[in-house]
Amino acid sequence: MMMMERKNTILIVDDEEIIKKSLEEVLKDEYNILQAENGQVALDMLAKHAKKIVVIVLDMVMPVMDGLTFLEDFRNHQEYNNIPVIVATSNEDEGVEQKCLEYGVWDFVMKPYNPILLQFRIKNVIDKSRMLMSERDPVTGLYTKLKFYQKVRQMLAEAVGQKFAFVRIDIDRFKMINNFYGVQEGDKVLITIAQELIKISAVFDYFVYARLENDVFACCLPYEEENIEILANDLQLNLKKVNKDYNIKVSCGVYVISDYNMDVSEMYDRAYLAAKTCKGKFVQNIAYYDESMIEDMRQEQFVINAVNKAIEEEQFVVYLQPKINLVTGKPYGAEALVRWMHPTKGMIAPAEFIPVYERNGIIGRLDQYMWRKVCALLRKWLDEGKNPDPISVNVSRVNIYNPHLVKILNKIITEYRIPPQLLNLEITESAFMEDQSLVMKTVKRLHDLGFKIMMDDFGSGYSSLNVLKDMDVDYLKIDMKFLEEEKTFNGKGEKVLTSVVRMAKWLQLPSIVEGVETEEQVDFLKCIGCEYAQGFYYAKPMPVVEYEMYIAREKKKEEQISKNENADMIGELWNTRSSVSILFDALDVPIAIYEYRNDKIELLRSNNLYEEYINIENEELMKQEIVELKKKIKRALVGNLDYELEIERFKKQYCVLAKVLGQRENTWIIMVTYLEILNK
Ligand code: C2E
Ligand code: MG
Ligand code: MG
């Protein structure tokens, strides 16, 4: 099959039908022809077809709108800048010709047309404009990157001794304009910037500027802080004029040139590094480059380059931070947080690498690595016969939008034989907001598999209370920092947190508040009915081994606490008619209950046998015994352990057993039993 060669399009503007026809005859083999019978029609056609028109052949004398009036309008359109115009003259008026040249007309042909000559002229201007076009951006008519870099070099060489700044200008949220309002509106914004740059250029002796790509412009101008401010403000003000609803912002990254021999592309890089620091911030729209930015970039590069090896060598380690059930006061599960144990740099905190990995997608891999590690750990605990509480892992934005996420998670839990309810998934609130319906679909599929979902960092983004009801999640995580931002703990923030927790409760969504650091915070959270807390107040994120010890310790405490529940029984003991009292008296061993408080020990109650055997009437003996008891009991209390002691009484050996029955503040209740050791 033969390939059709694309023909260039020529616009012929002439009112005489015969001339248009004859021109079409001559040119139609080589070009597509558009025809307009006057200047106005030609302008309308340009509005539609400007992108494909390569030359305009323009008659001067026409009804409705003549050639000169057309040119006047035409040259005001930046976007037509690259289209050459050839004017057909009858040579009767030199003034017209001069005007045409002022308007930027490329060439003239005499009427009546000489077809051969016209063909040559058209070909010439097309070739020439092609050459120029590579130097000019078709939308704005500004220099393109390469030409701009040359011009900057030239200017700096010319203006030796002057101080210059290289400014990179970009438009925040430009993509949004293109997406929501269409490319034409986007182009309008670009052209507005270009026109403003042209205006500003008139103010300075030295000023070169260009559109480098998409929404990125650059300029190089004599450096003074004021100049940069004027530039940024003018651009911003004019953007507002396009449409004040667009809510777009220009940000300027500035490199004040210190090394004039540096490649211009490197100057650009520095301005870009600076620009990155103001992107996304609402107020600040000018940022200056400083040397530390290069350091940050190097650090970022290091973090990226090192990742493969770090994963291979398992330098990333799971740390666990317990969550506490505020109702029972007991730990309930933990969050897995990554730590990077670098062989030479030591421990690196997530803040140093997670944001970098989020920016370039590497986080997807790191997440999965962490999920595996956590599943392996859960498997180990299950194999050891422990009954582990759920561990939550973070699922970054990249993974939420990964179409294979559900499959990947399913594969991992199957491989390690982990019940899905043991692996909770924390998804950050902002990920929910970006594409709600897609995230909710994923969440639904994860629920179907049995996973529990926590919405992480609630309140940090732009979600409102209202969205909560549409989010089918199982837990809400709220960062305490959220309160700090509201400044006063006793002010608004407290109220907001209260209503968030209440609303969540109403939706049967338990809240976990993280970043809890003080006792007051804990009291407040308990008071508003928050279910779980996580924070340094309870425990910092810790290595797995430490976490295992922590859990073991907590288990032990729990047992102790259940001992304290004996307090009820002690209450019963004071009541001589209670069944416990009767049982106590009927026991076949001497038993006494002592209270230990402020270093004093006091007998509260003893049974009949005790009184008989131990003879509490004998004060001397009792004193001795109390001294002994005190020593032992104190030791026992420090370790909270039961203890034994052997004593001699009435020439008999007794083994004294003491057991802490309960404790309230600084008072311990101790049960002491005397068992006779039979002589062999
Ligand atoms: P996050 O998921 O919101 O985790 C909570 C962060 O708060 C942790 O920081 C934790 O150490 C810190 N934190 C806990 N209690 C307190 C407290 O009382 N006070 C203060 N000031 N901070 C507290 P960390 O470990 O530095 O992690 C920071 C963030 O990095 C995490 O925020 C999470 O977004 C991300 N991250 C950490 N590990 C992973 C991971 O394995 N995968 C992914 N995708 N992200 C992770
Ligand atoms: Mg988290
Ligand atoms: Mg969080």
Side-chain angles (χ1 to χ4, degrees):
M1 209 170 72
M2 233 178 63
M3 286 282 283
M4 285 285 286
E5 207 184 312
R6 271 264 215 92
K7 285 186 196 167
N8 285 316
T9 302
I10 293 181
L11 172 62
I12 296 170
V13 193
D14 205 307
D15 56 327
E16 283 174 69
E17 218 34 59
I18 305 177
I19 292 184
K20 276 192 289 188
K21 274 263 135 54
S22 65
L23 279 183
E24 190 174 3
E25 264 324 295
V26 179
L27 300 170
K28 75 174 184 206
D29 286 346
E30 222 172 317
Y31 303 101
N32 286 326
I33 310 291
L34 291 172
Q35 298 184 357
E37 61 267 28
N38 62 52
Q40 186 54 56
V41 177
L43 284 174
D44 294 345
M45 277 191 169
L46 273 167
K48 272 193 217 141
H49 306 293
K51 285 217 169 98
K52 58 180 183 194
I53 295 171
V54 294
V55 176
I56 300 171
V57 180
L58 178 70
D59 185 21
M60 279 288 103
V61 190
M62 293 173 292
V64 185
M65 185 190 277
D66 66 9
L68 273 183
T69 321
F70 166 83
L71 283 174
E72 220 176 303
D73 197 311
F74 174 82
R75 67 154 191 176
N76 284 332
H77 286 268
Q78 204 65 48
E79 66 273 30
Y80 304 157
N81 218 322
N82 290 319
I83 309 173
V85 180
I86 301 174
V87 162
T89 59
S90 326
N91 210 14
E92 61 261 22
D93 186 353
E94 264 188 33
V96 170
E97 210 161 300
Q98 194 184 324
K99 262 254 134 52
C100 285
L101 286 171
E102 276 171 28
Y103 287 159
V105 161
W106 285 48
D107 207 349
F108 297 93
V109 283
M110 292 290 280
K111 261 182 151 180
Y113 296 109
N114 171 337
I116 310 274
L117 212 57
L118 180 63
Q119 270 177 313
F120 267 122
R121 301 230 149 147
I122 289 177
K123 197 173 166 326
N124 273 348
V125 288
I126 291 177
D127 286 350
K128 219 158 131 200
S129 88
R130 282 245 165 85
M131 209 181 75
L132 282 178
M133 221 136 77
S134 65
E135 299 176 347
R136 294 278 179 180
D137 158 43
V139 178
T140 60
L142 302 192
Y143 286 138
T144 52
K145 193 180 218 162
L146 220 64
K147 189 72 190 170
F148 170 67
Y149 283 6
Q150 279 173 13
K151 288 279 175 189
V152 171
R153 269 263 82 82
Q154 263 175 28
M155 183 175 77
L156 297 179
E158 246 174 64
V160 189
Q162 276 208 51
K163 208 158 181 57
F164 280 91
F166 188 105
V167 185
R168 178 190 185 274
I169 302 156
D170 83 33
I171 309 166
D172 278 19
R173 298 157 66 86
F174 177 74
K175 258 207 206 97
M176 194 204 69
I177 304 281
N178 265 342
N179 291 344
F180 290 168
Y181 302 97
V183 175
Q184 263 189 352
E185 280 301 288
D187 282 357
K188 225 188 206 169
V189 169
L190 297 176
I191 289 162
T192 306
I193 298 264
Q195 281 170 344
E196 197 48 34
L197 284 172
I198 293 169
K199 260 193 230 153
I200 296 169
S201 74
V203 180
F204 295 99
D205 291 339
Y206 292 103
F207 191 91
V208 279
Y209 51 99
R211 176 181 176 219
L212 302 188
E213 60 190 30
N214 306 322
D215 58 336
V216 180
F217 294 79
C219 65
C220 188
L221 76 168
Y223 172 64
E224 257 176 61
E225 215 175 309
E226 204 191 347
N227 291 349
I228 309 288
E229 271 165 27
I230 291 172
L231 173 78
N233 286 339
D234 281 1
L235 291 174
Q236 184 66 50
L237 280 177
N238 275 283
L239 266 192
K240 278 252 172 313
K241 284 186 203 153
V242 181
N243 185 335
K244 63 178 180 352
D245 295 334
Y246 284 175
N247 190 19
I248 38 181
K249 198 194 83 179
V250 275
S251 24
C252 298
V254 185
Y255 168 56
V256 180
I257 303 173
S258 56
D259 174 2
Y260 285 82
N261 294 317
M262 181 188 281
D263 273 353
V264 181
S265 64
E266 216 170 303
M267 297 178 183
Y268 171 82
D269 289 343
R270 294 185 170 204
Y272 186 25
L273 278 179
K276 272 196 204 163
T277 66
C278 59
K279 192 135 191 146
K281 287 184 189 158
F282 270 111
V283 194
Q284 187 196 11
N285 65 342
I286 301 172
Y288 283 86
Y289 166 85
D290 75 57
E291 290 300 322
S292 72
M293 290 174 180
I294 283 276
E295 201 28 62
D296 290 350
M297 195 187 68
R298 282 203 192 106
Q299 172 68 15
E300 189 163 331
Q301 213 47 53
F302 156 76
V303 161
I304 293 170
N305 294 344
V307 73
N308 284 335
K309 193 157 177 242
I311 286 185
E312 238 165 66
E313 294 180 357
E314 311 203 348
Q315 292 170 10
F316 293 111
V317 184
V318 173
Y319 266 47
L320 294 169
Q321 187 179 34
K323 295 174 187 168
I324 311 297
N325 180 330
L326 286 174
V327 179
T328 63
K330 294 179 202 164
Y332 181 69
E335 173 175 10
L337 294 156
V338 65
R339 296 290 180 268
W340 185 355
M341 303 300 178
H342 191 271
T344 55
K345 290 177 186 270
M347 188 168 97
I348 308 175
E352 310 238 351
F353 56 93
I354 297 273
V356 180
Y357 293 163
E358 274 172 352
R359 276 201 288 281
N360 52 34
I362 297 174
I363 192 68
R365 271 176 73 204
L366 182 58
D367 272 357
Q368 290 173 28
Y369 169 97
M370 288 291 286
W371 305 340
R372 284 188 169 274
K373 288 276 169 222
V374 169
C375 282
L377 187 58
L378 284 165
R379 183 72 257 154
K380 180 189 137 220
W381 288 337
L382 289 167
D383 288 345
E384 287 168 358
K386 289 177 181 153
N387 182 18
D389 288 330
I391 302 292
S392 64
V393 292
N394 288 286
V395 180
S396 68
R397 190 180 275 97
V398 175
N399 270 319
I400 271 295
Y401 291 104
N402 178 347
H404 305 299
L405 173 72
V406 180
K407 217 164 53 190
I408 293 168
L409 276 166
N410 196 24
K411 182 162 176 273
I412 297 178
I413 56 163
T414 312
E415 196 178 310
Y416 288 92
R417 290 172 291 122
I418 303 299
Q421 61 275 13
L422 282 188
L423 188 73
N424 295 168
L425 308 173
E426 296 195 8
I427 303 172
T428 180
E429 174 217 74
S430 55
F432 278 92
M433 298 311 138
E434 274 166 27
D435 189 341
Q436 267 187 39
S437 67
L438 190 129
V439 177
M440 287 325 293
K441 261 185 221 146
T442 308
V443 165
K444 160 114 196 6
R445 292 175 58 206
L446 291 168
H447 271 157
D448 289 346
L449 284 179
F451 287 105
K452 293 258 179 288
I453 313 289
M454 303 180 166
M455 188 192 276
D456 202 357
D457 310 316
F458 182 81
S460 62
Y462 20 51
S463 58
S464 65
L465 271 181
N466 211 23
V467 302
L468 270 186
K469 67 177 189 323
D470 303 323
M471 300 290 151
D472 188 18
V473 295
D474 307 283
Y475 292 89
L476 193 62
K477 286 196 87 175
I478 310 159
D479 203 320
M480 209 73 201
K481 266 185 260 149
F482 163 59
L483 282 191
E484 274 165 36
E485 271 150 32
E486 301 279 336
K487 280 290 178 286
T488 48
F489 181 65
N490 289 315
K492 251 203 222 145
E494 207 177 34
K495 284 185 193 144
V496 176
L497 186 57
T498 309
S499 36
V500 172
V501 171
R502 292 238 168 95
M503 173 78 136
K505 245 183 193 332
W506 188 62
L507 296 166
Q508 292 175 330
L509 193 61
S511 315
I512 305 168
V513 172
E514 58 183 329
V516 175
E517 290 181 351
T518 66
E519 199 173 342
E520 292 96 80
Q521 291 174 341
V522 172
D523 290 343
F524 169 67
L525 293 173
K526 278 185 186 162
C527 187
I528 63 173
C530 172
E531 287 85 354
Y532 298 92
Q534 176 187 341
F536 296 169
Y537 176 75
Y538 292 105
K540 292 197 169 175
M542 56 187 101
V544 170
V545 181
E546 253 176 59
Y547 176 77
E548 287 173 337
M549 291 194 301
Y550 168 88
I551 290 296
R553 244 187 348 258
E554 289 298 312
K555 274 243 165 74
K556 191 129 207 172
K557 256 199 229 158
E558 252 171 59
E559 282 158 16
Q560 212 82 62
I561 287 165
S562 66
K563 250 184 222 161
N564 292 349
E565 279 154 11
N566 293 343
D568 289 345
M569 188 191 74
I570 297 163
E572 293 272 281
L573 274 174
W574 306 145
N575 177 356
T576 42
R577 301 255 176 96
S578 78
S579 46
V580 179
S581 273
I582 294 164
L583 182 76
F584 186 71
D585 276 336
L587 279 179
D588 209 11
V589 277
I591 289 186
I593 307 283
Y594 287 93
E595 182 190 79
Y596 176 85
R597 172 204 262 159
N598 294 341
D599 216 26
K600 280 198 200 110
I601 191 157
E602 205 179 320
L603 179 71
L604 292 179
R605 197 189 161 105
S606 50
N607 68 354
N608 301 334
L609 261 184
Y610 184 89
E611 282 156 35
E612 217 172 280
Y613 278 91
I614 309 304
N615 188 6
I616 50 169
E617 306 314 39
N618 185 333
E619 262 189 48
E620 240 345 274
L621 258 179
M622 275 313 290
K623 261 190 199 149
Q624 275 178 32
E625 191 181 315
I626 283 169
V627 170
E628 278 305 305
L629 268 176
K630 247 164 101 175
K631 270 199 246 157
K632 296 291 176 178
I633 286 176
K634 254 165 116 177
R635 210 176 298 159
L637 292 181
V638 174
N640 242 348
L641 298 168
D642 306 333
Y643 80 100
E644 275 174 49
L645 137 93
E646 279 183 22
I647 55 168
E648 203 188 288
R649 187 89 4 113
F650 309 122
K651 299 222 161 52
K652 277 182 182 170
Q653 286 293 117
Y654 286 93
C655 169
V656 185
L657 289 174
K659 206 170 167 56
V660 179
L661 275 190
Q663 179 212 338
R664 227 180 266 142
E665 280 156 12
N666 56 351
T667 308
W668 280 261
I669 305 292
I670 298 141
M671 177 174 77
V672 181
T673 339
Y674 289 73
L675 293 180
E676 190 181 345
I677 302 172
L678 298 171
N679 289 326
K680 285 165 227 156

